[in-house]
Amino acid sequence: MAHPYQCILASNAGSLDEFNWTLIGASGPKLVVQSCSGARSTWPKEKEEIAENGQGDEPNGPPGKRLKLSPPEEKAPNFSTMVMSNDSQYLVAITGEDKCIRVFQIDSDCQLQQLSQRCMPRRPSAITLTSDDSTILVADKFGDVYALPLLPSPGEERNAIPTAEPSEAVTEKKFTPAASVLTVHSGRNRKVLEEQMKQAASLPPKPKETMKFKHDLLLGHVSMLTDVIYTTVESPVEGGKPRGYILTSDRDEHIRLSRGPPQAHIIEGFCHGHEQFVSRLCLTKSGLLVSGGGDTDLFVWDWLNSRFLETLSIRDPVFDFLKTNKFESNLPDDKAHFNIAVSGIWNLPNKDSEFDEILVACEGIPALFHFKVTGGKAASSLSHVIAVNANALGVAFIQPRESALQMIVSVDNVHKPASTTELRDEEHASRLQYFSYSQAGGWSSQAGYHKQESDSEVGMEGARKGGDEKAARDILYNVEVLRKRPGAED
Amino acid sequence: MAGEGKNKNKREEYKQSLKEGDAALPQKKFYRQRAHANPFSDHALTYPKSPTDMNWATHYPAYALSKKEEAGDEAQGSGAQNPKAITQPVEIADIGCGFGGLLFALAPNFPDKLIIGMEIRTSVTEYVQEKIRALRTQAASTTTNQPTYQNIACLRANTMKFLPNFFARGQLSKIFLCFPDPHFKQRKHKARIVSYTLNSEYAYVLRPGGIVYTITDVEDLHNWMVGHFEKHPSFERVGEEEQEEDVCVGVMRMETEEGKKVTRNGGVKYVACFRRLEDPPWP
């Protein structure tokens, strides 16, 4: 059984005059690229993998040595999130296990060339690019947002000055304890001090992991970051430059609005209102912010003024969908005890609609929810509930021709619909589903373009044999776990 | 452990013996708690959804909008004044107030300002709240010109996570960070109350011209705090002369619990103050 596509994206649907599209899916540690011309490629290539391991220095070197360089039991890291540059030339993807940001060039013949691989000190949880594609903004699980150039200039690596914490320079010198005998101590501090003394006597301090590439610490929350958005707004001052903003969301219910670089240290406001973790942010066509997470509702904001506009219930339609479609095994009788976790919010690139329209996915739910959003100007409403064959994981839109809109949904072919734990029995369930949209008729299911499914892919067989099952599940389902559990330590 | 259970029982008994109208000061021995708390863990905290949701009236009853107004508001529904509101906003915050030494010393120095102590440890917060209650009761029964302690309050909070839930942009004029946990271990440095990224939040709740006061007896931590504030474009360090003229600096040196301990030990106290600058125009 092939690994599901944990994330998919497509190049800008119908950019001005061309209707070329490229679809990229991440399947475990692999990337699969498909274009409208029918070209298709995967990364890494089988051949490339071997070449990489050999490092190219000694193509005829003893094979034993190569093995040492890359022990076969080491597993390739899985992709956790990715974003395409606005000009569709580059793909920036995060691999989770090794905390790396990888930048790929997308060639005209659909091949991916990895240009750089930069490992962060903490696992990145979300990425975005500035509007001019020059800078990657990466948000991590520790709460910090860093800015990295998309393409590091060749001279940069050596001159890079890490944004060192002032103390790092100090501690890399000879160890001196931070406290003195005159310092007031609690018993614990005294123990730490003793330990430090002992350690200093026995081993030299470990060399600190430093990032040997240009990176700037822009801002930080004391909470795990879940999403980051960069956007620009026209200056309210006549003749002023457009203003850049960074929006960040965290596990502690916060949505923060900061200025863009170089003034990212200035917080402009917060969108207060969530009572559970916030997991996804989405800017609509007209510039409204929609946020979702562990709450029963989605929130709609006039984010520039930190103003709450309206809520849209997401729990109720999800609950009703499960009830109507007889996915009742894990469903509590009472709606109030039913938790949902929003795993995706997408802005519908629908030029014909005068309203903002969004699609919402929730973790472990085999459906997508299509809302019309007005920001309180008129009645916002749930327009469509789109049932899919399995739990929805990701969504990408393409525009194959004038005023045609199609949607590709990646679905979980491994677990049973409406369950994140029970494995399904069919061996060859499809991993992608296709829909086309019309203003009048809504969504209708389509036959696919993808000629995949049969070819060799990284299998989930390993996962089936237990052990890895949980790890595999964590790649697909990592939102509901953000919920705080009652009775945490006091 | 048997001893622990006994202590716990004693604490419970003691706390239950306290009564609303009691004027006796609480005994510190029943409120001791380990000196450290993990600022990253999900404590069972209560905090307002936003600054406008904060019920300040329960903390500063003397400043609450009158009961009559409240009832009227409820009848009128939304649009009227928030019943949880008070007549003036809190302006001074003592973050990590501990047993409240600074709070009690600041109260008479700023009789017309509202001061809040924020502390992450439950028992320690309770102690300060009991002491405020007792001091308010004492003041009410004397006619001399004593401080009323109506302008100070204490609440439990993890300010590293939730400061913007309590205060609106530019609400505060002073923030005190007195003898913060030094977190000696290198990998615990993110848990320090001062960092470049957290300073953005202090800048957010402080009005331009507002001051952050820091004091510690750990030189390394002092250097760390100075380094991180000086690196932050929203702050500048207050000059030594101005610093020494500030009444708050003297109070901070002499009146905090830790400050007294350091004096007894003959230790050194490092002070640094930072002024919040105006935000620059957009580039």
Side-chain angles (χ1 to χ4, degrees):
Chain A
M1 186 179 288
H3 193 293
Y5 292 107
Q6 64 268 30
C7 37
I8 58 169
L9 54 77
S11 63
N12 292 357
S15 49
L16 292 180
D17 41 26
E18 284 177 74
F19 294 102
N20 293 332
W21 51 264
T22 310
L23 180 68
I24 302 176
S27 165
K30 280 200 167 192
L31 296 175
V32 181
V33 189
Q34 163 102 28
S35 82
C36 54
S37 65
R40 184 163 187 279
S41 76
T42 57
W43 185 94
K45 286 191 180 135
E46 310 298 323
K47 272 185 233 159
E48 248 176 48
E49 269 178 299
I50 297 160
E52 263 178 30
N53 294 345
Q55 291 298 314
D57 286 335
E58 286 177 298
N60 300 319
K65 195 175 176 184
R66 282 185 208 169
L67 276 172
K68 256 189 196 166
L69 280 168
S70 172
E73 59 271 20
E74 200 171 293
K75 269 195 172 170
N78 292 294
F79 286 94
S80 58
T81 176
M82 52 187 188
V83 60
M84 200 185 283
S85 64
N86 298 299
D87 64 6
S88 305
Q89 301 280 304
Y90 301 99
L91 176 75
V92 186
I94 301 287
T95 41
E97 291 85 344
D98 60 354
K99 307 171 193 155
C100 266
I101 302 168
R102 294 160 191 269
V103 177
F104 298 91
Q105 182 156 17
I106 307 164
D107 291 351
S108 50
D109 60 346
C110 256
Q111 303 290 322
L112 291 178
Q113 303 292 341
Q114 183 174 308
L115 301 180
S116 67
Q117 174 180 336
R118 285 168 276 185
C119 290
M120 303 300 289
R122 309 281 171 187
R123 188 184 273 224
S125 47
I127 41 168
T128 190
L129 285 161
T130 52
S131 317
D132 62 359
D133 281 338
S134 68
T135 308
I136 304 169
L137 302 181
V138 50
D140 71 28
K141 297 228 165 180
F142 224 48
D144 292 327
V145 175
Y146 290 92
L148 281 69
L150 176 69
L151 305 171
S153 56
E156 242 159 32
E157 287 212 9
R158 241 165 266 153
N159 303 334
I161 306 153
T163 41
E165 310 287 299
S167 81
E168 276 178 8
V170 177
T171 45
E172 265 164 42
K173 284 188 253 156
K174 212 185 130 216
F175 173 82
T176 44
S180 75
V181 256
L182 294 176
T183 311
V184 171
H185 286 292
S186 64
R188 261 195 152 219
N189 273 345
R190 214 171 274 133
K191 260 183 237 160
V192 170
L193 183 64
E194 272 167 32
E195 265 166 39
Q196 284 184 336
M197 294 289 210
K198 258 187 252 166
Q199 226 181 9
S202 56
L203 352 140
K206 249 200 291 179
K208 261 220 95 179
E209 240 182 83
T210 48
M211 295 184 268
K212 290 193 176 65
F213 47 84
K214 182 171 159 46
H215 64 282
D216 297 308
L217 176 61
L218 297 185
L219 60 101
H221 299 212
V222 181
S223 179
M224 182 192 291
L225 290 178
T226 53
D227 209 352
V228 57
I229 285 181
Y230 179 88
T231 188
T232 54
V233 168
E234 262 180 57
S235 171
V237 185
E238 210 181 314
K241 277 198 220 164
R243 297 178 170 183
Y245 288 94
I246 299 171
L247 287 151
T248 39
S249 58
D250 72 27
R251 187 174 165 248
D252 287 305
E253 309 98 35
H254 291 124
I255 301 169
R256 185 195 283 190
L257 171 62
S258 307
R259 290 191 188 179
Q263 294 183 344
H265 63 278
I266 298 173
I267 299 174
E268 288 286 328
F270 290 86
C271 294
H272 289 294
H274 279 280
E275 293 180 40
Q276 290 289 341
F277 64 86
V278 185
S279 51
R280 293 293 179 267
L281 301 176
C282 175
L283 282 183
T284 65
K285 198 171 56 176
S286 74
L288 298 175
L289 174 70
V290 182
S291 59
D295 279 313
T296 56
D297 295 333
L298 303 167
F299 283 63
V300 184
W301 308 92
D302 166 14
W303 56 273
L304 199 50
N305 298 303
S306 299
R307 202 160 60 91
F308 162 78
L309 295 177
E310 61 173 338
T311 54
L312 304 167
S313 175
I314 179 71
R315 181 196 61 190
D316 293 358
V318 171
F319 187 88
D320 295 343
F321 169 83
L322 293 178
K323 198 119 204 163
T324 322
N325 291 278
K326 306 286 173 215
F327 292 115
E328 284 171 314
S329 57
N330 301 318
L331 211 57
D333 294 332
D334 186 358
K335 252 183 211 178
H337 299 129
F338 178 56
N339 281 339
I340 55 125
V342 173
S343 58
I345 309 176
W346 297 272
N347 185 31
L348 198 68
N350 182 8
K351 295 191 180 76
D352 302 333
S353 171
E354 57 175 314
F355 294 108
D356 289 334
E357 296 187 67
I358 57 164
L359 283 179
V360 180
C362 294
E363 207 163 76
I365 304 298
L368 292 163
F369 300 83
H370 180 158
F371 290 90
K372 187 174 83 180
V373 183
T374 67
K377 274 175 246 148
S380 293
S381 59
L382 178 66
S383 316
H384 307 280
V385 176
I386 310 146
V388 289
N389 294 336
N391 299 335
L393 299 173
V395 165
F397 300 100
I398 57 176
Q399 199 164 6
R401 58 185 183 279
E402 184 71 49
S403 65
L405 180 63
Q406 303 195 333
M407 169 170 73
I408 299 131
V409 185
S410 76
V411 295
D412 182 357
N413 56 317
V414 175
H415 296 95
K416 285 185 177 164
S419 168
T420 59
T421 49
E422 293 163 70
L423 299 175
R424 56 200 290 168
D425 309 320
E426 314 97 289
E427 276 295 309
H428 296 290
S430 158
R431 296 185 290 167
L432 295 173
Q433 239 188 305
Y434 308 85
F435 293 88
S436 69
Y437 181 71
S438 71
Q439 198 74 39
W443 296 95
S444 53
S445 193
Q446 291 265 303
Y449 317 87
H450 234 232
K451 44 180 181 183
Q452 43 108 21
E453 306 300 347
S454 56
D455 47 15
S456 68
E457 291 287 351
V458 181
M460 285 288 277
E461 284 78 16
R464 293 204 146 239
K465 284 169 195 136
D468 281 353
E469 201 179 289
K470 193 183 169 296
R473 193 166 67 235
D474 289 347
I475 298 168
L476 305 179
Y477 302 111
N478 44 34
V479 184
E480 178 59 35
V481 295
L482 298 174
R483 195 180 300 276
K484 294 177 190 172
R485 281 159 195 78
E489 79 171 281
D490 217 21
Chain B
M1 252 189 288
E4 255 178 39
K6 215 168 134 193
N7 272 343
K8 204 177 166 192
N9 286 343
K10 270 194 192 158
R11 283 186 176 207
E12 293 297 316
E13 275 171 35
Y14 172 76
K15 284 178 192 175
Q16 286 188 356
S17 73
L18 296 173
K19 281 182 217 88
E20 192 48 47
D22 231 339
L25 294 179
Q27 288 180 271
K28 216 183 258 181
K29 65 176 179 185
F30 294 113
Y31 297 92
R32 297 245 177 245
Q33 199 173 353
R34 59 186 289 240
H36 310 279
N38 179 0
F40 305 125
S41 71
D42 302 330
H43 298 97
L45 290 165
T46 50
Y47 45 88
K49 248 196 307 187
S50 76
T52 49
D53 291 303
M54 179 62 196
N55 190 344
W56 290 112
T58 59
H59 294 280
Y60 301 97
Y63 290 82
L65 294 169
S66 75
K67 287 257 157 39
K68 206 175 157 190
E69 273 176 72
E70 245 178 69
D73 289 343
E74 263 167 53
Q76 284 164 27
S78 64
Q81 281 259 267
N82 181 355
K84 298 166 183 170
I86 40 178
T87 52
Q88 66 183 77
V90 173
E91 227 182 273
I92 301 172
D94 179 8
I95 294 176
C97 68
F99 286 95
L102 180 77
L103 212 52
F104 297 110
L106 285 177
N109 277 295
F110 297 95
D112 55 348
K113 298 262 190 281
L114 295 188
I115 310 168
I116 189 77
M118 307 175 96
E119 170 58 49
I120 197 167
R121 293 167 294 167
T122 324
S123 298
V124 179
T125 312
E126 277 173 26
Y127 169 84
V128 180
Q129 289 169 340
E130 282 302 323
K131 189 166 170 183
I132 292 171
R133 192 190 47 71
L135 286 173
R136 284 179 182 170
T137 311
Q138 284 179 11
S141 60
T142 55
T143 47
T144 51
N145 209 8
Q146 270 192 355
T148 61
Y149 297 102
Q150 294 292 346
N151 63 329
I152 58 169
C154 178
L155 53 84
R156 182 176 183 228
N158 178 347
T159 61
M160 291 176 68
K161 280 177 181 279
F162 300 111
L163 198 62
N165 291 57
F166 290 94
F167 307 114
R169 189 180 198 176
Q171 180 178 337
L172 301 180
S173 62
K174 293 177 194 299
I175 292 176
F176 289 88
L177 304 168
C178 299
F179 299 98
D181 191 337
H183 291 285
F184 290 121
K185 283 179 188 167
Q186 177 89 171
R187 66 184 176 81
K188 292 263 179 137
H189 282 178
K190 172 107 187 178
R192 284 182 166 170
I193 195 104
V194 168
S195 65
Y196 175 78
T197 54
L198 259 180
N199 291 354
S200 289
E201 288 198 10
Y202 300 134
Y204 174 76
V205 296
L206 267 182
R207 66 191 61 159
I211 307 272
V212 178
Y213 297 82
T214 72
I215 184 167
T216 176
D217 60 325
V218 180
E219 190 180 6
D220 177 65
L221 178 63
H222 170 71
N223 292 336
W224 164 282
M225 294 197 289
V226 170
H228 282 250
F229 270 111
E230 286 189 333
K231 197 168 71 174
H232 199 287
S234 296
F235 290 96
E236 68 172 11
R237 189 160 180 191
V238 173
E240 187 143 3
E241 205 174 308
E242 187 186 338
Q243 176 182 304
E244 293 312 313
E245 276 169 13
D246 194 325
V247 59
C248 296
V249 171
V251 172
M252 184 167 73
R253 274 214 183 93
M254 303 320 295
E255 303 293 342
T256 53
E257 316 274 326
E258 290 290 309
K260 287 177 187 166
K261 259 194 242 175
V262 176
T263 309
R264 283 200 298 274
N265 270 25
V268 189
K269 290 176 228 175
Y270 301 92
V271 173
C273 305
F274 306 92
R275 185 180 293 104
R276 164 75 157 100
L277 300 170
E278 291 273 358
D279 284 337
W282 281 81

